[in-house]
Amino acid sequence: MTYDKFDPEGQKIQLFTPGPVYVPDWILKEFSKPNDTHRCNPYRELHGMVKKKMQKLLHTKDSDILLWTNSGTGIMEACIRNLIGPDDKAIFFPCGAFGERWANMAEECGKNAVVKQIEWGKGVSPEIVKEELSKDKYAVVFITLNETSTGIMNPIWDIGPIVKEHGALLCVDAVSCMAGIDIDVDKWGIDVVLASSQKCFALPPGLSVSSVSEAAFEKAKTVPNRGSYFDFITMKKKSETNETPSTPAIPHLRALNKMLDHILDEEGPENRYKRHAELAAHVREWAKKQGFEVFSEDGYHSNTVVTIRNNLNINVGLWVKKAIEKGFRFVDGYGDLKGKTFRIAAMGEITMAMLDEFLGVITTLLAEVK
Amino acid sequence: MTYDKFDPEGQKIQLFTPGPVYVPDWILKEFSKPNDTHRCNPYRELHGMVKKKMQKLLHTKDSDILLWTNSGTGIMEACIRNLIGPDDKAIFFPCGAFGERWANMAEECGKNAVVKQIEWGKGVSPEIVKEELSKDKYAVVFITLNETSTGIMNPIWDIGPIVKEHGALLCVDAVSCMAGIDIDVDKWGIDVVLASSQKCFALPPGLSVSSVSEAAFEKAKTVPNRGSYFDFITMKKKSETNETPSTPAIPHLRALNKMLDHILDEEGPENRYKRHAELAAHVREWAKKQGFEVFSEDGYHSNTVVTIRNNLNINVGLWVKKAIEKGFRFVDGYGDLKGKTFRIAAMGEITMAMLDEFLGVITTLLAEVK
């Protein structure tokens, strides 16, 4: 069996990719259950349960939970369309490919935005944010919590209060870390935090989630040309009756409800976050043991994806290909970092035993690609 | 077992709703198979297969197929954002709630649009289109092929050539009829036709599809502020390598591929369209036999959803509720038509035997709600 061709029976390859990730059987089973429609009580009950559990996960009483049938990218655009008014200036702090993509979207949406570029591999320090915010008046601040291209995790817990002091709204991309690290929306002062189903939630792709603060909704009301599908106000109005404006991805919602039960009541959030931190630390140790350097700077290492510098000058593409033949997928560097780095992610339901098996296989293969 | 509460084991209720609809077990099974990522050969193969099969289904050699992880509403907005330029005027021909929603989106997106309202229950005649297009110069024409609120099917096969004569682009909402009636994109002169997974394709919600003509892509290149997620050009560029700009709903794509095999090679498109036409005709006959009147005007009856006038002045809400208790769901009238009409849809994989069983049950219940 080759793992590099479409398999009608389902892809059995084991994923150590930064999303989509390995989905356990008990979640896949949720996807094979019959669904009802979305304009009925059973759906509203499900929607309401998911919202409550998400509020618990994100430690928020003040923010509403919006459930989106689109990838996380869509919510990133929603933040821009809803929160940057015609007379506003926004600021982005990209420290990798996904942060830069977010900043580009502001231009695509015709918004006025300043981009404070952070060198790839470095984190966004609270000091930089403080300095930039003291220079000008910004209505909204956009920061990536976990940058999937560089393996950087930014200290939003320290940055949030600074943003609040300056009276700006704070939008946080947590696509590749929500449910993998603890996020405290109310304490950190986050107005919008967004994530996708196919990362630390260990679901297939097709759903994304966000919390949105009252302040963000109030702001959105004043912003013209928000469009339709990504309009916070329309979403909020429907959310009040536990519905969505258009037909939602019901199978994903059913599965998310199950996963939230698992996280909150079975594994426990603290155990889950500890497991993710240990898995990432283990990958970094393994990398150093092989003679590699970790790409992300100390103090800013991600707990969900590790980006590793190809300082041994091996053939990364060949290594990845050989691993696929053995039934494992990990990934090359992103964009400009292709060949210069590689990435190993342990997200969602990956265990230390699964990680060790995988690292054992690619360690053996390493000799063949040096 | 009550069918009006969330069931963790899956909703066993039988759906005669205009979407989401009944999903057969062999499609649900596709949803429980493990997935790979979206940046790999197996995904590209799957994506490419789906595109080819969709082109065959829609009879198009000239249009590309775009696969969207959002509900059909998102593509409706995409048509507006991509095709109406700042100096353009567009025209909408709404004949029900979903056509009106589309027209409203143009305003929400800040576009210049004329709305030619058609009375609910009436169809959009080729004559009306001809008359309106002779009055002014329109860049784009928007028409609903199958209006889910009123049960109207509009003759795009006759309207398309008129739109082309006037040099306008034609966008068609086929959300609730694609894969249920024959759509000939190239022959009818359609620039964009869009649909959702949860209607005649008999998939769960979460995916939508469209064909987009070369002329539409060329036009989009000239339109500023198209946004990001719904940008035709970004989608087209990624489609060329059988990918999507952001992570797609992989389970839905896998299932759509399976369903397209079933439609094209097992049931056969002609048989499928004949079955849908027969089911709808059967519902209309049943309605008349009970003393009801069909809401849609003759010559414009939908082949997928029947809207029936409540001329017997029964308690529609109670009737629907009693049917739910028996394990069947059909729906009240939409919006202003609530209580005044009700709707029965037989879409996707519904058979005549299934429909007869359902009609038998609600006929018995009818006596209790008169």
Side-chain angles (χ1 to χ4, degrees):
Chain A
M1 167 69 213
T2 167
Y3 297 97
D4 209 28
K5 285 194 78 66
F6 176 71
D7 178 3
E9 289 315 307
Q11 298 293 332
K12 315 290 187 311
I13 194 163
Q14 190 54 285
L15 302 175
F16 288 87
T17 46
V21 304
Y22 157 71
V23 180
D25 282 344
W26 53 272
I27 283 293
L28 287 175
K29 205 181 139 202
E30 292 298 308
F31 275 79
S32 66
K33 290 178 177 175
N35 301 290
D36 205 336
T37 76
H38 60 302
R39 300 285 184 233
C40 65
N41 291 333
Y43 175 79
R44 289 182 202 105
E45 255 180 78
L46 170 64
H47 191 117
M49 284 191 286
V50 168
K51 270 171 49 176
K52 271 193 190 156
K53 291 169 194 175
M54 281 298 306
Q55 282 181 315
K56 194 173 173 189
L57 184 78
L58 296 175
H59 308 286
T60 182
K61 285 185 177 119
D62 306 335
S63 292
D64 195 11
I65 302 295
L66 301 183
L67 304 170
W68 305 80
T69 298
N70 46 254
S71 38
T73 313
I75 315 180
M76 293 166 82
E77 179 167 353
C79 292
I80 291 166
R81 287 207 176 279
N82 283 274
L83 303 179
I84 312 178
D87 303 323
D88 290 335
K89 202 185 275 185
I91 185 164
F92 290 77
F93 290 90
C95 66
F98 291 93
E100 287 172 18
R101 195 173 161 198
W102 207 1
N104 287 340
M105 275 184 211
E107 205 191 318
E108 288 166 346
C109 295
K111 303 286 188 176
N112 188 7
V114 166
V115 179
K116 175 63 188 173
Q117 181 71 51
I118 310 295
E119 190 189 338
W120 285 37
K122 306 285 179 201
V124 182
S125 70
E127 293 71 31
I128 289 174
V129 174
K130 201 167 193 165
E131 196 187 319
E132 291 301 317
L133 295 192
S134 68
K135 288 182 188 168
D136 206 340
K137 177 74 186 161
Y138 296 105
V140 200
V141 175
F142 295 82
I143 305 187
T144 314
L145 176 40
N146 196 75
E147 174 55 59
T148 318
S149 62
T150 58
I152 284 283
M153 186 161 74
N154 290 311
I156 303 298
W157 45 93
D158 288 332
I159 292 170
I162 297 168
V163 174
K164 292 294 105 177
E165 271 171 37
H166 284 81
L169 294 171
L170 175 59
C171 295
V172 175
D173 165 4
V175 163
S176 59
C177 67
M178 188 187 288
I181 72 160
D182 200 13
I183 298 175
D184 197 322
V185 163
D186 289 353
K187 197 171 159 193
W188 299 1
I190 297 175
D191 290 288
V192 183
V193 64
L194 62 102
S196 301
S197 58
Q198 76 279 8
K199 311 274 179 173
C200 298
F201 285 108
L203 263 54
L207 185 82
S208 55
V209 296
S210 68
S211 74
V212 179
S213 73
E214 266 309 306
F217 285 122
E218 286 306 312
K219 173 74 194 197
K221 285 179 193 165
T222 71
V223 177
N225 193 15
R226 301 187 301 274
S228 181
Y229 198 82
F230 295 129
D231 183 8
F232 279 168
I233 305 304
T234 317
M235 285 289 283
K236 167 78 174 164
K237 202 178 154 196
K238 279 294 185 181
S239 173
E240 280 163 14
T241 52
N242 291 322
E243 291 183 80
T244 48
S246 50
T247 322
I250 301 173
H252 288 78
L253 268 174
R254 170 182 292 279
L256 178 57
N257 185 49
K258 182 87 174 176
M259 178 52 78
L260 286 166
D261 283 344
H262 170 70
I263 296 172
L264 296 169
D265 304 331
E266 288 168 19
E267 183 171 23
E270 291 314 316
N271 292 333
R272 187 176 187 84
Y273 304 144
K274 189 163 165 275
R275 175 168 58 79
H276 277 81
E278 285 169 357
L279 291 168
H282 190 64
V283 173
R284 288 193 298 271
E285 279 158 35
W286 165 85
K288 286 173 194 165
K289 208 172 144 191
Q290 311 308 318
F292 289 115
E293 294 161 10
V294 173
F295 185 75
S296 48
E297 73 169 313
D298 281 345
Y300 292 88
H301 297 310
S302 163
N303 277 355
T304 62
V305 54
V306 182
T307 302
I308 300 160
R309 197 184 295 275
N310 180 18
N311 51 293
L312 300 182
N313 206 19
I314 58 156
N315 187 334
V316 173
L318 185 63
W319 196 19
V320 166
K321 211 178 151 201
K322 282 179 178 284
I324 292 169
E325 283 161 16
K326 299 280 181 194
F328 294 92
R329 192 185 293 285
F330 70 114
V331 289
D332 206 325
Y334 192 95
D336 290 345
L337 291 179
K338 199 170 176 175
K340 295 175 191 161
T341 64
F342 59 94
R343 293 173 295 157
I344 295 171
M347 292 177 176
E349 294 301 309
I350 298 287
T351 64
M352 191 60 86
M354 289 160 82
L355 178 62
D356 266 334
E357 188 196 356
F358 160 71
L359 291 176
V361 168
I362 63 167
T363 306
T364 307
L365 292 172
L366 187 54
E368 303 175 24
V369 295
K370 266 185 177 164
Chain B
M1 168 67 214
T2 167
Y3 297 98
D4 209 28
K5 284 192 81 65
F6 175 71
D7 177 3
E9 290 313 309
Q11 300 292 332
K12 314 292 187 308
I13 195 163
Q14 191 53 285
L15 303 175
F16 288 86
T17 47
V21 304
Y22 157 70
V23 180
D25 283 344
W26 54 271
I27 282 294
L28 287 175
K29 206 181 139 204
E30 292 298 308
F31 275 80
S32 66
K33 291 178 178 176
N35 302 291
D36 205 334
T37 75
H38 60 304
R39 299 285 184 235
C40 65
N41 291 335
Y43 174 79
R44 288 181 203 108
E45 254 179 79
L46 170 64
H47 191 117
M49 283 191 286
V50 168
K51 271 172 45 175
K52 269 193 192 157
K53 292 170 193 174
M54 281 297 305
Q55 282 182 315
K56 194 173 171 188
L57 184 78
L58 297 174
H59 308 287
T60 182
K61 285 184 178 122
D62 305 335
S63 293
D64 196 10
I65 302 295
L66 302 183
L67 303 170
W68 304 80
T69 297
N70 47 254
S71 38
T73 313
I75 314 181
M76 291 166 84
E77 180 166 353
C79 291
I80 290 167
R81 286 207 177 281
N82 283 274
L83 303 180
I84 311 178
D87 303 323
D88 289 335
K89 201 185 276 185
I91 184 163
F92 290 77
F93 290 90
C95 65
F98 290 91
E100 287 173 17
R101 196 173 161 199
W102 207 1
N104 288 339
M105 275 184 209
E107 206 190 318
E108 288 166 347
C109 295
K111 302 289 188 174
N112 188 7
V114 166
V115 179
K116 174 63 188 175
Q117 181 73 52
I118 309 295
E119 190 189 337
W120 286 37
K122 306 284 180 202
V124 181
S125 69
E127 292 71 32
I128 289 173
V129 174
K130 200 165 193 166
E131 196 187 319
E132 290 303 314
L133 295 192
S134 67
K135 288 181 187 167
D136 205 343
K137 177 74 188 161
Y138 296 105
V140 200
V141 174
F142 295 82
I143 304 187
T144 314
L145 176 41
N146 196 75
E147 173 57 59
T148 318
S149 63
T150 57
I152 283 284
M153 186 161 74
N154 290 311
I156 303 298
W157 44 93
D158 288 332
I159 293 170
I162 297 168
V163 174
K164 291 296 104 176
E165 269 171 38
H166 285 80
L169 294 171
L170 175 60
C171 295
V172 174
D173 165 4
V175 163
S176 58
C177 67
M178 189 188 287
I181 72 160
D182 199 14
I183 297 175
D184 196 322
V185 163
D186 290 352
K187 197 171 157 192
W188 299 1
I190 297 174
D191 290 288
V192 183
V193 63
L194 62 102
S196 300
S197 57
Q198 77 279 9
K199 310 273 180 174
C200 299
F201 286 108
L203 263 55
L207 185 81
S208 54
V209 295
S210 69
S211 74
V212 179
S213 72
E214 267 309 307
F217 285 123
E218 285 307 312
K219 172 76 194 199
K221 284 180 193 164
T222 70
V223 177
N225 192 18
R226 299 187 303 272
S228 182
Y229 197 80
F230 295 129
D231 183 8
F232 279 168
I233 305 306
T234 317
M235 286 288 283
K236 166 78 176 166
K237 201 178 154 195
K238 279 294 186 184
S239 172
E240 280 162 13
T241 53
N242 290 323
E243 290 185 80
T244 50
S246 51
T247 322
I250 300 173
H252 288 77
L253 267 176
R254 171 183 291 279
L256 179 56
N257 186 48
K258 182 87 174 174
M259 179 52 79
L260 286 167
D261 283 343
H262 170 70
I263 296 172
L264 295 170
D265 303 330
E266 287 166 22
E267 183 172 23
E270 291 313 315
N271 292 331
R272 188 176 187 84
Y273 304 144
K274 190 165 165 273
R275 174 168 59 79
H276 277 81
E278 285 170 356
L279 290 167
H282 190 64
V283 172
R284 289 194 298 271
E285 277 159 35
W286 166 87
K288 286 174 194 166
K289 208 172 145 190
Q290 310 308 316
F292 289 116
E293 293 161 10
V294 173
F295 185 74
S296 47
E297 72 169 313
D298 282 344
Y300 292 88
H301 298 311
S302 162
N303 277 355
T304 63
V305 53
V306 182
T307 301
I308 300 162
R309 196 184 296 275
N310 180 17
N311 51 292
L312 301 181
N313 206 21
I314 58 156
N315 188 333
V316 173
L318 184 64
W319 195 20
V320 166
K321 210 178 152 201
K322 282 179 179 284
I324 291 169
E325 284 162 16
K326 299 281 181 193
F328 294 93
R329 193 183 293 284
F330 69 113
V331 290
D332 206 327
Y334 192 95
D336 292 343
L337 290 180
K338 200 171 175 176
K340 295 176 193 161
T341 64
F342 60 94
R343 292 172 296 158
I344 295 172
M347 291 175 177
E349 294 301 309
I350 299 287
T351 63
M352 191 60 85
M354 291 160 82
L355 178 62
D356 266 333
E357 187 196 357
F358 160 71
L359 291 176
V361 169
I362 63 167
T363 305
T364 308
L365 293 172
L366 186 55
E368 303 174 26
V369 296
K370 268 186 175 164

Short mmCIF file of all heavy atoms in Angstrom, two decimals, chain A residues 93-115:
data_model
loop_
_atom_site.label_atom_id
_atom_site.label_comp_id
_atom_site.label_asym_id
_atom_site.label_seq_id
_atom_site.Cartn_x
_atom_site.Cartn_y
_atom_site.Cartn_z
N PHE A 93 1.09 42.31 13.90
CA PHE A 93 2.45 41.93 14.33
C PHE A 93 2.81 40.54 13.78
O PHE A 93 2.96 39.59 14.56
CB PHE A 93 2.52 41.91 15.86
CG PHE A 93 2.45 43.26 16.51
CD1 PHE A 93 1.23 43.83 16.88
CD2 PHE A 93 3.61 43.99 16.76
CE1 PHE A 93 1.16 45.08 17.48
CE2 PHE A 93 3.56 45.25 17.37
CZ PHE A 93 2.33 45.80 17.72
N PRO A 94 2.98 40.40 12.47
CA PRO A 94 3.27 39.08 11.93
C PRO A 94 4.69 38.60 12.28
O PRO A 94 5.63 39.39 12.22
CB PRO A 94 3.14 39.27 10.42
CG PRO A 94 3.37 40.72 10.19
CD PRO A 94 2.87 41.43 11.41
N CYS A 95 4.80 37.34 12.69
CA CYS A 95 6.12 36.76 12.96
C CYS A 95 6.30 35.47 12.18
O CYS A 95 7.09 34.61 12.56
CB CYS A 95 6.30 36.55 14.46
SG CYS A 95 5.20 35.32 15.17
N GLY A 96 5.53 35.35 11.08
CA GLY A 96 5.62 34.16 10.23
C GLY A 96 4.59 34.23 9.13
O GLY A 96 3.90 35.25 8.97
N ALA A 97 4.45 33.14 8.38
CA ALA A 97 3.62 33.13 7.17
C ALA A 97 2.15 33.43 7.45
O ALA A 97 1.49 34.15 6.70
CB ALA A 97 3.74 31.79 6.47
N PHE A 98 1.62 32.86 8.54
CA PHE A 98 0.18 33.02 8.77
C PHE A 98 -0.17 34.41 9.31
O PHE A 98 -1.23 34.95 9.00
CB PHE A 98 -0.34 31.88 9.65
CG PHE A 98 -0.33 30.57 8.91
CD1 PHE A 98 0.77 29.71 9.00
CD2 PHE A 98 -1.37 30.23 8.07
CE1 PHE A 98 0.81 28.54 8.27
CE2 PHE A 98 -1.35 29.05 7.34
CZ PHE A 98 -0.25 28.20 7.44
N GLY A 99 0.74 34.99 10.07
CA GLY A 99 0.56 36.37 10.50
C GLY A 99 0.62 37.32 9.31
O GLY A 99 -0.14 38.29 9.23
N GLU A 100 1.52 37.03 8.37
CA GLU A 100 1.65 37.88 7.17
C GLU A 100 0.42 37.77 6.29
O GLU A 100 -0.04 38.76 5.71
CB GLU A 100 2.91 37.49 6.40
CG GLU A 100 4.17 37.97 7.10
CD GLU A 100 5.46 37.45 6.46
OE1 GLU A 100 5.43 36.99 5.30
OE2 GLU A 100 6.50 37.48 7.15
N ARG A 101 -0.12 36.55 6.22
CA ARG A 101 -1.33 36.33 5.43
C ARG A 101 -2.48 37.16 6.00
O ARG A 101 -3.29 37.73 5.26
CB ARG A 101 -1.66 34.84 5.48
CG ARG A 101 -2.66 34.39 4.45
CD ARG A 101 -2.75 32.87 4.51
NE ARG A 101 -3.98 32.41 3.88
CZ ARG A 101 -4.50 31.20 4.09
NH1 ARG A 101 -3.89 30.35 4.89
NH2 ARG A 101 -5.60 30.85 3.49
N TRP A 102 -2.55 37.21 7.32
CA TRP A 102 -3.61 37.98 7.99
C TRP A 102 -3.46 39.47 7.64
O TRP A 102 -4.44 40.15 7.30
CB TRP A 102 -3.53 37.77 9.51
CG TRP A 102 -4.84 37.95 10.21
CD1 TRP A 102 -6.05 38.26 9.66
CD2 TRP A 102 -5.07 37.79 11.63
NE1 TRP A 102 -7.03 38.30 10.64
CE2 TRP A 102 -6.45 38.03 11.85
CE3 TRP A 102 -4.25 37.48 12.72
CZ2 TRP A 102 -7.02 37.97 13.12
CZ3 TRP A 102 -4.82 37.42 13.97
CH2 TRP A 102 -6.19 37.66 14.18
N ALA A 103 -2.22 39.95 7.70
CA ALA A 103 -1.96 41.36 7.37
C ALA A 103 -2.32 41.65 5.91
O ALA A 103 -2.91 42.70 5.60
CB ALA A 103 -0.51 41.70 7.66
N ASN A 104 -2.01 40.71 5.02
CA ASN A 104 -2.34 40.90 3.60
C ASN A 104 -3.85 41.02 3.38
O ASN A 104 -4.31 41.76 2.51
CB ASN A 104 -1.81 39.73 2.76
CG ASN A 104 -0.31 39.79 2.61
OD1 ASN A 104 0.31 40.84 2.80
ND2 ASN A 104 0.29 38.66 2.30
N MET A 105 -4.60 40.25 4.18
CA MET A 105 -6.06 40.28 4.05
C MET A 105 -6.61 41.68 4.30
O MET A 105 -7.60 42.07 3.70
CB MET A 105 -6.70 39.35 5.09
CG MET A 105 -6.79 37.93 4.66
SD MET A 105 -7.68 37.03 5.95
CE MET A 105 -6.89 35.45 5.78
N ALA A 106 -5.97 42.42 5.20
CA ALA A 106 -6.43 43.78 5.49
C ALA A 106 -6.36 44.62 4.22
O ALA A 106 -7.27 45.41 3.92
CB ALA A 106 -5.60 44.40 6.61
N GLU A 107 -5.30 44.43 3.46
CA GLU A 107 -5.15 45.16 2.20
C GLU A 107 -6.20 44.69 1.20
O GLU A 107 -6.82 45.50 0.52
CB GLU A 107 -3.73 44.94 1.67
CG GLU A 107 -3.26 46.07 0.76
CD GLU A 107 -1.98 45.70 0.04
OE1 GLU A 107 -1.08 45.12 0.66
OE2 GLU A 107 -1.91 45.99 -1.17
N GLU A 108 -6.39 43.35 1.12
CA GLU A 108 -7.38 42.80 0.19
C GLU A 108 -8.79 43.32 0.51
O GLU A 108 -9.64 43.38 -0.36
CB GLU A 108 -7.37 41.26 0.25
CG GLU A 108 -6.14 40.63 -0.40
CD GLU A 108 -5.95 39.16 -0.03
OE1 GLU A 108 -6.60 38.67 0.93
OE2 GLU A 108 -5.15 38.51 -0.70
N CYS A 109 -9.01 43.64 1.78
CA CYS A 109 -10.32 44.15 2.19
C CYS A 109 -10.35 45.68 2.17
O CYS A 109 -11.32 46.30 2.61
CB CYS A 109 -10.70 43.62 3.57
SG CYS A 109 -10.93 41.83 3.61
N GLY A 110 -9.29 46.30 1.69
CA GLY A 110 -9.25 47.76 1.54
C GLY A 110 -9.19 48.52 2.87
O GLY A 110 -9.73 49.63 2.98
N LYS A 111 -8.53 47.94 3.88
CA LYS A 111 -8.47 48.57 5.20
C LYS A 111 -7.11 49.22 5.43
O LYS A 111 -6.10 48.82 4.85
CB LYS A 111 -8.72 47.52 6.30
CG LYS A 111 -10.05 46.79 6.17
CD LYS A 111 -11.24 47.66 6.55
CE LYS A 111 -12.52 46.82 6.59
NZ LYS A 111 -13.67 47.58 7.06
N ASN A 112 -7.11 50.18 6.32
CA ASN A 112 -5.90 50.91 6.67
C ASN A 112 -5.16 50.18 7.80
O ASN A 112 -5.64 50.13 8.93
CB ASN A 112 -6.27 52.33 7.10
CG ASN A 112 -5.06 53.22 7.30
OD1 ASN A 112 -3.92 52.83 7.00
ND2 ASN A 112 -5.30 54.42 7.81
N ALA A 113 -4.01 49.61 7.48
CA ALA A 113 -3.31 48.82 8.49
C ALA A 113 -1.80 49.03 8.43
O ALA A 113 -1.21 49.17 7.36
CB ALA A 113 -3.62 47.35 8.30
N VAL A 114 -1.20 49.08 9.60
CA VAL A 114 0.25 49.15 9.74
C VAL A 114 0.75 47.75 10.04
O VAL A 114 0.12 47.00 10.78
CB VAL A 114 0.62 50.11 10.89
CG1 VAL A 114 2.08 49.96 11.29
CG2 VAL A 114 0.32 51.55 10.49
N VAL A 115 1.87 47.37 9.44
CA VAL A 115 2.42 46.04 9.68
C VAL A 115 3.77 46.16 10.36
O VAL A 115 4.72 46.72 9.81
CB VAL A 115 2.57 45.26 8.35
CG1 VAL A 115 3.16 43.88 8.61
CG2 VAL A 115 1.22 45.13 7.65
#
